[in-house]
Amino acid sequence: MGCCSSASSAAQSSKREWKPLEDRSCTDIPWLLLFILFCIGMGFICGFSIATGAAARLVSGYDSYGNICGQKNAKLEGIPNSGMDHTHRKYVFFLDPCNLDLINRKIKSVALCVAACPRQELKTLSDVQKFAEINGSALCSYNLKPSEYTTSSKSSVLCPKLPVPASAPIPFFHRCAPVNISCYAKFAEALITFVSDNSVLHRLISGVMTSKEIILGLCLLSLVLSMILMVIIRYISRVLVWILTILVILGSLGGTGVLWWLYAKQRRSPKETVIPEQLQIAEDNLRALLIYAISATVFTVILFLIMLVMRKRVALTIALFHVAGKVFIHLPLLVFQPFWTFFALVLFWVYWIMTLLFLGTTGSAVQNDQGFVEFRISGPLQYMWWYHVVGLIWISEFILACQQMTVAGAVVTYYFTRDKRNLPFTPILASVNRLIRYHLGTVAKGSFIITLVKIPRMILMYIHSQLKGKENACARCVLKSCICCLWCLEKCLNYLNQNAYTATAINSTNFCTSAKDAFVILVENALRVAAINTVGDFMLFLGKVLIVCSTGLAGIMLLNYQQDYTVWVLPLIIVCLFAFLVAHCFLSIYEMVVDVLFLCFAIDTKYNDGSPGREFYMDKVLMEFVENSRKAMKEAGKGGAADARELKPMIK
């Protein structure tokens, strides 16, 4: 990560001439150095956990006596059964694998190193003994010989809980994991505390497992629909708004009608022909359909009211979408930005989880009250957990901020290049190059500010979850109010940060100067920001609704008529959530482009007036859009004095 040797632009005179994309200097160098030092600390945590043997214990696994499976171990003083040779015992086997302690994040069971996992269910101790004789894999405690499994009085304590479920080794981690779904149902039951009826939980999990092919297909459908919508935005932006509006209206009406039709059909279906085992499932599906139908009806009514209020402003969004569509035509790689960002986030999250698992098995061997071995970190190093959690938030926000800066830099390059034929061959890569050379410190500072707000909110949310049902009404109200205020502050800072990155890409100023300039221009043009961004964001929201409704409607039809009659409430929720996330990732890029274009336009009107030597950079369609918006707002009687004044961009 390189950076130029010139001084930070924060020290530049506020009266200097503004030259877009020409005056380049490093910004927020101290914050870049701080971020690098923080990343070095993250690397130290990973290296420490690996160097202390945590990697071997994590990958190979270890038994309850501190022996690592698959190798010869050293004797631990004062701990029986330690120092054993497990060269031929490569797998970890739990005597009671389904007894989970979610609070302490561990399995409450004795762990042993075995030569093979039982691939078939073992119902009696005789089966366990026969398995040990045939496979050479003893599933009872090391103190008990296989010949004593059926005769010893200690077998009920030293042998696994019967029946022993069929299990298979987890790839790369050498743990024997039960293959029967009932074991995972118990885990889910402990995790989802509000579910009190085991049969409900089993039916939900059964519905997900039975419908997994449909779920994957619907997730792929949402991805395809998002890509198609991006193509539509690029090539038919002039009619996109009206098409989107009509489709959302038809989709909401059609979806609501289909839900009520399915509810009425299933309610009229005879229940005498349904077997008792499926009667409860049918009632759950009928209840779910009623809830869906009522929710869809309420949503449709609210949507109609919103569109009725905004119907006169919908036409204003067409021109803005047209200009943004031109950006995607000249910068096609913008469409793939969510992929690169998601890929970078996944890589970091995998690294973070692996390091977290390393930390969970690092430290010195300590004997607990049951006489088994646990690995604990003592002294100042035990606070590495907190450092690691802060790293998760800061670096994740840093990656997202890099995407925002990259998009802003590419759009700024497009806007302030008069002859679009002179654009760089790959404006996205050129923007990435400027980010790495000049603005990593700015991105680090902006993401750190978000981290400072996000951490207290997460702490309050954790406290609220721990005190749930114990605190009084006043404390509960205060906690929820603080969480809500921090959430609102985080959203406002995210929006301000995005505009600050745009100002940095234009003027090459540091984060604080850019944030101040962006805030001033947004406040002084608040009415126009509301008229442009609100309508545009609403239309993009309708695009997300269209994708979610289309995917959900397809899911209802497929899940309702599948061969296996199961509860499909949870599969449908999973599909709709995934569809919304995919649509949000794609359309958020378009939203960023719209915001960057508006800020560029405001600066353009400040320093240029269309006269020779001071020609506008903006597209003619954008000028027509502004003029049309003024006329429309005056006709609506909402313009007033605000429409008569000029846009006020950044003051340098």
Side-chain angles (χ1 to χ4, degrees):
M1 292 181 292
C3 190
C4 63
S5 58
S6 62
S8 173
S9 61
Q12 294 180 350
S13 172
S14 60
K15 296 182 179 181
R16 67 172 177 83
E17 182 183 359
W18 180 78
K19 297 179 180 180
L21 307 180
E22 294 182 8
D23 187 10
R24 289 294 167 197
S25 58
C26 286
T27 56
D28 297 295
I29 299 177
W31 282 93
L32 174 59
L33 298 177
L34 178 63
F35 182 75
I36 293 175
L37 289 176
F38 185 86
C39 291
I40 292 175
M42 293 284 290
F44 168 78
I45 293 176
C46 181
F48 169 79
S49 59
I50 295 176
T52 53
R57 287 193 288 269
L58 174 64
V59 176
S60 300
Y62 61 96
D63 60 16
S64 297
Y65 310 101
N67 301 299
I68 299 177
C69 300
Q71 68 180 49
K72 189 175 182 179
N73 298 273
K75 177 69 176 179
L76 298 177
E77 184 177 354
I79 298 178
N81 293 327
S82 63
M84 301 184 67
D85 186 1
H86 287 324
T87 305
H88 301 291
R89 300 171 179 173
K90 299 182 179 180
Y91 304 102
V92 180
F93 176 77
F94 298 96
L95 299 188
D96 189 5
C98 298
N99 188 8
L100 303 174
D101 182 3
L102 295 178
I103 298 178
N104 297 316
R105 302 179 301 277
K106 63 182 180 180
I107 299 177
K108 296 172 62 176
S109 170
V110 177
L112 303 173
C113 293
V114 299
C117 301
R119 298 293 183 138
Q120 297 180 347
E121 185 181 58
L122 306 177
K123 298 181 179 180
T124 63
L125 287 175
S126 299
D127 295 336
V128 176
Q129 184 180 46
K130 185 177 180 180
F131 178 81
E133 294 172 351
I134 296 176
N135 298 278
S137 183
L139 303 183
C140 295
S141 179
Y142 304 135
N143 300 326
L144 197 65
K145 298 179 181 180
S147 58
E148 301 174 345
Y149 285 2
T150 56
T151 59
S152 176
S153 59
K154 298 181 179 180
S155 297
S156 59
V157 178
L158 301 180
C159 288
K161 182 179 179 181
L162 298 175
V164 180
S167 59
I170 300 176
F172 308 110
F173 289 99
H174 303 90
R175 270 76 167 178
C176 295
V179 297
N180 194 339
I181 192 174
S182 62
C183 184
Y184 301 111
K186 293 179 182 179
F187 171 78
E189 178 186 354
L191 185 63
I192 308 174
T193 56
F194 60 84
V195 176
S196 58
D197 185 3
N198 292 343
S199 61
V200 173
L201 180 62
H202 282 276
R203 290 198 301 272
L204 289 176
I205 295 178
S206 175
V208 174
M209 297 304 296
T210 305
S211 310
K212 56 183 181 296
E213 294 84 2
I214 296 178
I215 293 175
L216 292 176
L218 292 172
C219 291
L220 181 61
L221 174 63
S222 66
L223 182 63
V224 173
L225 290 177
S226 299
M227 295 290 292
I228 292 176
L229 186 58
M230 291 299 295
V231 173
I232 292 174
I233 290 176
R234 285 182 55 186
Y235 292 106
I236 57 172
S237 57
R238 288 188 179 275
V239 296
L240 171 65
V241 174
W242 296 117
I243 292 177
L244 203 56
T245 303
I246 294 173
L247 287 178
V248 168
I249 293 175
L250 295 178
S252 60
L253 287 175
T256 303
V258 169
L259 285 172
W260 283 112
W261 174 71
L262 290 175
Y263 172 74
K265 179 182 178 182
Q266 291 198 16
R267 188 177 182 180
R268 291 195 304 266
S269 61
K271 305 250 183 335
E272 295 78 7
T273 59
V274 181
I275 60 177
E277 290 77 7
Q278 293 184 348
L279 182 60
Q280 184 62 41
I281 296 178
E283 293 178 355
D284 290 340
N285 282 335
L286 186 63
R287 191 180 304 112
L289 275 175
L290 178 60
I291 294 174
Y292 287 152
I294 295 175
S295 302
T297 303
V298 173
F299 173 80
T300 302
V301 172
I302 294 176
L303 185 64
F304 278 172
L305 293 177
I306 293 176
M307 297 188 71
L308 183 64
V309 173
M310 303 185 67
R311 69 187 187 281
K312 293 183 179 180
R313 295 188 176 184
V314 169
L316 301 179
T317 313
I318 297 176
L320 183 60
F321 274 26
H322 180 76
V323 176
K326 286 186 176 181
V327 175
F328 281 95
I329 292 175
H330 287 88
L331 310 178
L333 290 181
L334 279 177
V335 179
F336 299 99
Q337 280 303 300
F339 289 107
W340 316 136
T341 304
F342 179 75
F343 181 70
L345 285 173
V346 167
L347 287 181
F348 170 68
W349 290 339
V350 169
Y351 159 81
W352 189 87
I353 292 174
M354 291 299 297
T355 304
L356 183 68
L357 295 175
F358 289 154
L359 285 175
T361 54
T362 193
S364 304
V366 179
Q367 191 172 16
N368 59 19
D369 298 336
Q370 290 77 30
F372 302 131
V373 171
E374 294 181 356
F375 292 93
R376 301 174 183 172
I377 304 177
S378 59
L381 294 178
Q382 62 182 320
Y383 300 107
M384 290 190 299
W385 292 90
W386 294 102
Y387 190 98
H388 196 57
V389 171
V390 173
L392 170 66
I393 302 173
W394 190 5
I395 297 179
S396 297
E397 292 295 331
F398 178 83
I399 294 173
L400 294 174
C402 285
Q403 172 185 264
Q404 294 175 348
M405 180 66 85
T406 300
V407 173
V411 177
V412 165
T413 300
Y414 166 83
Y415 187 95
F416 289 107
T417 301
R418 296 187 185 277
D419 188 355
K420 306 309 179 187
R421 293 174 296 181
N422 296 330
L423 283 171
F425 179 70
T426 52
I428 293 292
L429 296 182
S431 179
V432 171
N433 178 56
R434 288 196 300 272
L435 167 65
I436 295 175
R437 292 183 60 189
Y438 303 112
H439 304 313
L440 283 179
T442 298
V443 171
K445 187 174 183 178
S447 57
F448 181 76
I449 292 175
I450 301 298
T451 304
L452 287 181
V453 179
K454 191 181 288 287
I455 290 177
R457 183 169 67 87
M458 295 178 65
I459 293 175
L460 290 178
M461 291 176 63
Y462 175 77
I463 294 175
H464 181 265
S465 64
Q466 293 297 311
L467 298 179
K468 192 172 184 180
K470 301 178 182 178
E471 77 279 15
N472 56 37
C474 181
R476 181 167 59 251
C477 180
V478 171
L479 273 176
K480 290 185 177 180
S481 299
C482 292
I483 293 173
C484 181
C485 291
L486 288 174
W487 181 85
C488 294
L489 178 61
E490 180 184 336
K491 294 301 179 182
C492 293
L493 288 177
N494 270 319
Y495 182 73
L496 181 60
N497 278 10
Q498 179 180 327
N499 286 278
Y501 297 147
T502 303
T504 299
I506 297 172
N507 296 332
S508 194
T509 51
N510 61 24
F511 178 82
C512 291
T513 303
S514 300
K516 180 194 68 175
D517 293 339
F519 179 77
V520 169
I521 193 172
L522 292 175
V523 169
E524 293 185 349
N525 297 279
L527 292 178
R528 298 193 182 279
V529 171
I532 295 174
N533 288 344
T534 302
V535 176
D537 292 347
F538 178 71
M539 297 313 301
L540 293 177
F541 169 74
L542 291 183
K544 299 174 187 178
V545 171
L546 175 62
I547 293 174
V548 173
C549 289
S550 301
T551 307
L553 183 60
I556 291 173
M557 302 303 294
L558 291 175
L559 291 170
N560 186 63
Y561 293 107
Q562 65 175 341
Q563 295 296 324
D564 299 303
Y565 196 73
T566 57
V567 177
W568 40 264
V569 176
L570 189 58
L572 188 61
I573 293 175
I574 293 174
V575 167
C576 290
L577 286 177
F578 183 84
F580 179 80
L581 290 176
V582 170
H584 177 73
C585 288
F586 279 91
L587 295 181
S588 63
I589 297 296
Y590 200 87
E591 184 179 348
M592 288 183 203
V593 172
V594 171
D595 293 337
V596 173
L597 283 174
F598 179 77
L599 205 59
C600 292
F601 167 79
I603 296 174
D604 194 9
T605 56
K606 170 65 177 179
Y607 290 94
N608 301 297
D609 56 8
S611 61
R614 299 181 62 184
E615 295 84 0
F616 288 118
Y617 288 93
M618 69 184 66
D619 191 282
K620 292 182 179 180
V621 178
L622 186 57
M623 287 299 299
E624 294 175 0
F625 164 74
V626 175
E627 294 300 324
N628 291 337
S629 66
R630 289 177 177 176
K631 294 178 181 178
M633 294 177 71
K634 287 182 180 180
E635 292 174 359
K638 299 180 180 180
D643 292 292
R645 62 190 177 97
E646 291 288 329
L647 285 171
K648 296 182 179 180
M650 298 181 181
I651 300 175
K652 299 302 296 180

